[in-house]
Amino acid sequence: METLIRKLESFGSLTDDDKLAIRSIEAQERIVVARKDIIVEGDDPSYVHLITSGLACRYKLIEDAKRQIVAYLLPGDFCDLHVFILNAMDHSIGAISGCTVVDIPRSSILDLLEQPRLSRALLMATLVDEATLREWITNIGQRRADERIAHLYCELYARMKAVGLANGGSFELPITQTELGDTVGLSTVHVNRSLQSLREQGLIELHRGSLQIPDIIRLKTMSGFKSNYLHLADN
Amino acid sequence: METLIRKLESFGSLTDDDKLAIRSIEAQERIVVARKDIIVEGDDPSYVHLITSGLACRYKLIEDAKRQIVAYLLPGDFCDLHVFILNAMDHSIGAISGCTVVDIPRSSILDLLEQPRLSRALLMATLVDEATLREWITNIGQRRADERIAHLYCELYARMKAVGLANGGSFELPITQTELGDTVGLSTVHVNRSLQSLREQGLIELHRGSLQIPDIIRLKTMSGFKSNYLHLADN
DNA sequence: CGTAAAATTGATCTGTCTCAACGTGGGTGG
DNA sequence: CCACCCACGTTGAGACAGATCAATTTTACG
């Protein structure tokens, strides 16, 4: 739950009461193996799911064959705060790396929403998600292959840093090239070649699921990344 | 304000009190000429803006040259319910056709949110917006040019019908081919050719800003459109 | 009517996809 | 501890969707 607190605090300070309310949630923690689904369309909506460690993604399938990843979920992110209202998942959540997930009963969430500061922070998190989706549309719609990937990397770096998972210019990112392609709307082959180009330009270094960004300014410039939409305190 | 009521009712019934609360909002109405901006990044956030007639779009500019449209706004849609929390627009809203817009003071919105049914309906509208953004990402990321356009048309048709602006299979859609391209991530020339293809196949008919869909089932099938993400009562 | 915006057309170029093969490294069972 | 295996990454060649450039026609509108 500390990751959640950390995230919400990046949107504005919380009182000790607020933190206590979060820490006192009774919730089951479970472990999800890498590449397994955490939630599938039509799962029991009586629990809300929070990622506490690992990396997950939100995705849609079309025609059983093509897949589009529409979001990455980091520790502290909710999978389905909206199921609350909508009662139906129109997509699934899959674990990229091994994840720990807590299943929180709806009632506990309702309790949290009683605290004005918390409900505001949660609403803010939802709005940032929305702004991120708009940014992704722009990314896929307007940028070239290498720029798209670079932009995604800048975003993930900023978010990882915000939850304390980046040290220096590097962080763990065990994303497959196929998954990258499903994220930015490119074929695996072309992702591979674009990554090579980024590496040759010295913009990124990748070794075994770990991404190193030697010069973040340069990566931001070439991809047109502006972090304002994430509404993070620093950076 | 009747369009707003109509829209919110498509998410669940409202009481007479709810409707009264909406009708009694004191708000300035203003007219915006076609192709003019309604809100620009960094505008005064003390008012929230509601479209009451006409068609508008939400867009982002990158490098001053490229533009991505990330949403269409129909009568009954709010432009910026989120500015409330985030205090900063990270994009602009432009009128496609001539529009009427009401500027609602923040305080009136806060009053509305007091009514549980209304606040739930407004939250639901936000979540539908989010689901729509995910669908757009999938559309641009995974589909071919003609499918993208067809999918967009299916969505707009469903939404227009929900606010009573479609009769039979046709509705007013004064969108330029350039704007279409900025929406689905294609060049103007290619949009033109894709439209010709759709017309030749008898899937659509366009004359002077009016779109006619002779066989909606066929258009939905070819574009993979499933309306569930819009969470509309009918259709 | 005249003019500017929008739509259309043709020709050419290129980014990205597809197919198909091959390399590689880390995990697993014998 | 080795050998195999399988998922993942890499490479090459050819095809094609879509971009770009540059006119030209049509439409909307004052």
Side-chain angles (χ1 to χ4, degrees), chain A residues 176-178 189 192-193 196 199:
Chain A
T176 276
Q177 291 185 0
T178 304
V189 173
N192 182 288
R193 293 187 168 126
Q196 285 179 44
R199 273 191 297 236

Side-chain angles (χ1 to χ4, degrees), chain A residues 2-15 18-19 22 50 72 74-78 81 116-132 155 158-163 227-235, chain B residues 82 84-87 90:
Chain A
E2 296 310 308
T3 45
L4 176 58
I5 292 174
R6 175 159 198 160
K7 177 180 174 180
L8 295 183
E9 279 196 304
S10 79
F11 294 139
S13 57
L14 301 178
T15 65
D18 293 334
K19 294 182 200 171
I22 293 178
L50 175 73
Y72 284 103
L74 274 44
D77 289 340
F78 279 105
L81 212 44
R117 239 177 279 262
L118 286 180
S119 93
R120 190 188 165 86
L122 287 172
L123 179 53
M124 192 143 162
T126 301
L127 295 176
V128 168
D129 287 350
E130 207 179 300
T132 304
E155 178 186 302
R159 291 177 58 197
M160 285 286 185
K161 215 167 61 173
V163 291
S227 65
N228 58 316
Y229 68 96
L230 294 172
H231 291 269
L232 298 171
D234 57 341
N235 187 261
Chain B
H82 49 286
F84 232 93
I85 300 288
L86 259 32
N87 279 320
D90 57 355

Side-chain angles (χ1 to χ4, degrees), chain A residues 11 29 37 44 69 76 80 90 93 96 152 184 187 201 223:
Chain A
F11 294 139
E29 186 161 39
D37 279 331
D44 179 10
I69 293 175
D80 50 3
D90 57 355
I93 312 276
I96 302 262
L152 176 70
V184 291
S187 70
Q201 293 175 257
S223 66

Side-chain angles (χ1 to χ4, degrees), chain B residues 23-166:
Chain B
R23 292 203 180 94
S24 61
I25 290 176
E26 299 270 332
Q28 295 295 351
E29 186 160 39
R30 67 185 158 111
I31 293 174
V32 179
V33 173
R35 265 77 211 192
K36 286 283 179 218
D37 280 330
I38 297 174
I39 313 175
V40 190
E41 281 194 51
D43 263 9
D44 178 10
S46 56
Y47 289 88
V48 170
H49 306 83
L50 175 73
I51 307 286
T52 49
S53 79
L55 179 66
C57 70
R58 193 186 294 286
Y59 67 90
K60 291 186 84 110
L61 292 175
I62 71 176
E63 300 160 17
D64 305 340
K66 290 188 250 184
R67 172 170 87 145
Q68 175 70 45
I69 292 175
V70 293
Y72 284 103
L73 303 174
L74 274 45
D77 290 339
F78 279 105
C79 298
D80 50 3
L81 211 45
H82 49 286
V83 163
F84 232 93
I85 300 288
L86 259 32
N87 279 320
M89 284 290 272
D90 57 355
H91 60 266
S92 305
I93 312 276
I96 301 260
S97 65
C99 288
T100 55
V101 180
V102 292
D103 303 330
I104 303 173
R106 288 172 83 119
S107 57
S108 302
I109 297 289
L110 287 170
D111 290 347
L112 286 192
L113 294 176
E114 295 292 307
Q115 319 270 346
R117 238 178 279 264
L118 286 181
S119 96
R120 188 188 168 85
L122 287 172
L123 179 52
M124 191 144 163
T126 302
L127 295 176
V128 167
D129 287 350
E130 207 179 301
T132 303
L133 291 170
R134 287 195 289 268
E135 198 63 45
W136 279 38
I137 291 177
T138 308
N139 198 34
I140 300 178
Q142 302 297 328
R143 286 191 257 264
R144 289 200 325 263
D146 53 345
E147 295 170 347
R148 287 185 211 178
I149 295 173
H151 191 279
L152 176 70
Y153 282 165
C154 287
E155 178 185 303
L156 289 174
Y157 174 59
R159 292 176 59 197
M160 285 287 187
K161 214 166 61 170
V163 291
L165 289 175

